[in-house]
Amino acid sequence: FCSSHSLREVYIELFDTLDESLTNALQRDVDKYAPGINIIAARVTKPIIPETIRENYERMEAERTELLIASERQKVVEKIAETERLKATIVAEKQANVSSVNMQKKLIEKQAYQKIKAIEDANHIRHQKAMADANLYMQKQKAQANTLKLTSQYLQKQTYDVLQGTPKVYFTSKISDVLNDAPNQKRRR
């Protein structure tokens, strides 16, 4: 038993089972070499360990404990780092999702603005065409009216009206002839 276990196991961890293990080992040997003898119980007291071995053991146990503590601290630090990485990943994913949603929103707004602008442009073009068509119609109507209105008799009357308003110059030796002739001209018309 002692040869197959460490000092720590024999002295601390498995010492409570040492009595039973020793009883079973003795019973096997007795059954083999001296049948008929029955081992009822065996009791082992804790051995006195030499001081140098005990000090070495305590030092090794302290180092082992420190190693376990360091190992556990390292695990804790790794877990904290992993948690921080996960938090950073979640925050980054959240920001990416928010950015994606904002980009979609801006894209939809731009598309809506383009549609509104296209509708406004189409309305403006229709309005300009309607204005041009109305102007063309008005010009055609004026041309048609002028064609009907500008007869030879009308043009002759317009010529007389224009000539009537223009100043007249008379070359004569007597002013009285011109003044006497003016009322006669009014009557002729």
Side-chain angles (χ1 to χ4, degrees):
F1 182 84
C2 292
S3 62
S4 63
H5 293 53
S6 69
L7 178 62
R8 183 176 202 283
E9 290 174 334
V10 171
Y11 194 71
I12 296 172
E13 294 175 359
L14 299 176
F15 187 77
D16 60 336
T17 63
L18 184 60
D19 293 342
E20 190 177 313
S21 296
L22 183 59
T23 303
N24 290 340
L26 285 173
Q27 187 62 52
R28 269 193 315 260
D29 288 343
V30 168
D31 287 343
K32 186 176 179 184
Y33 298 112
I37 298 175
N38 199 5
I39 305 286
I40 297 173
R43 179 80 179 131
V44 178
T45 59
K46 272 204 175 194
I48 298 174
I49 299 172
E51 189 65 26
T52 57
I53 294 174
R54 187 185 61 78
E55 286 174 2
N56 284 341
Y57 175 75
E58 286 176 356
R59 193 173 355 98
M60 285 176 37
E61 282 299 310
E63 289 175 6
R64 184 172 168 257
T65 303
E66 287 177 13
L67 181 65
L68 286 173
I69 290 171
S71 174
E72 290 301 316
R73 279 189 188 141
Q74 183 179 4
K75 288 178 183 176
V76 168
V77 168
E78 287 174 358
K79 283 289 184 185
I80 290 172
E82 183 179 339
T83 302
E84 291 299 319
R85 278 193 304 270
L86 288 174
K87 283 181 183 177
T89 302
I90 290 170
V91 167
E93 287 176 357
K94 180 181 174 184
Q95 289 174 345
N97 289 340
V98 168
S99 177
S100 175
V101 167
N102 286 339
M103 291 299 287
Q104 278 296 108
K105 180 180 172 186
K106 285 181 181 179
L107 179 65
I108 290 170
E109 287 174 356
K110 290 274 186 189
Q111 289 174 344
Y113 176 76
Q114 288 175 344
K115 287 179 182 177
I116 290 170
K117 194 67 176 158
I119 292 170
E120 288 174 352
D121 290 347
N123 285 340
H124 180 71
I125 289 170
R126 273 197 304 271
H127 178 70
Q128 291 297 323
K129 280 184 179 179
M131 294 296 289
D133 289 345
N135 193 17
L136 178 66
Y137 178 75
M138 187 174 73
Q139 294 297 329
K140 283 182 180 179
Q141 291 298 320
K142 277 185 180 179
Q144 192 177 22
N146 284 339
T147 304
L148 295 174
K149 184 176 171 183
L150 298 177
T151 61
S152 61
Q153 295 166 346
Y154 178 76
L155 290 174
Q156 192 175 18
K157 179 191 177 294
Q158 287 296 94
T159 305
Y160 290 140
D161 287 345
V162 169
L163 289 175
Q164 183 181 4
T166 59
K168 295 171 184 73
V169 178
Y170 296 100
F171 297 100
T172 178
S173 58
K174 297 183 186 175
I175 294 182
S176 60
D177 291 339
V178 173
L179 294 176
N180 290 333
D181 193 31
N184 294 335
Q185 277 184 348
K186 285 185 183 176
R187 276 186 243 139
R188 280 188 223 161
R189 282 189 201 169

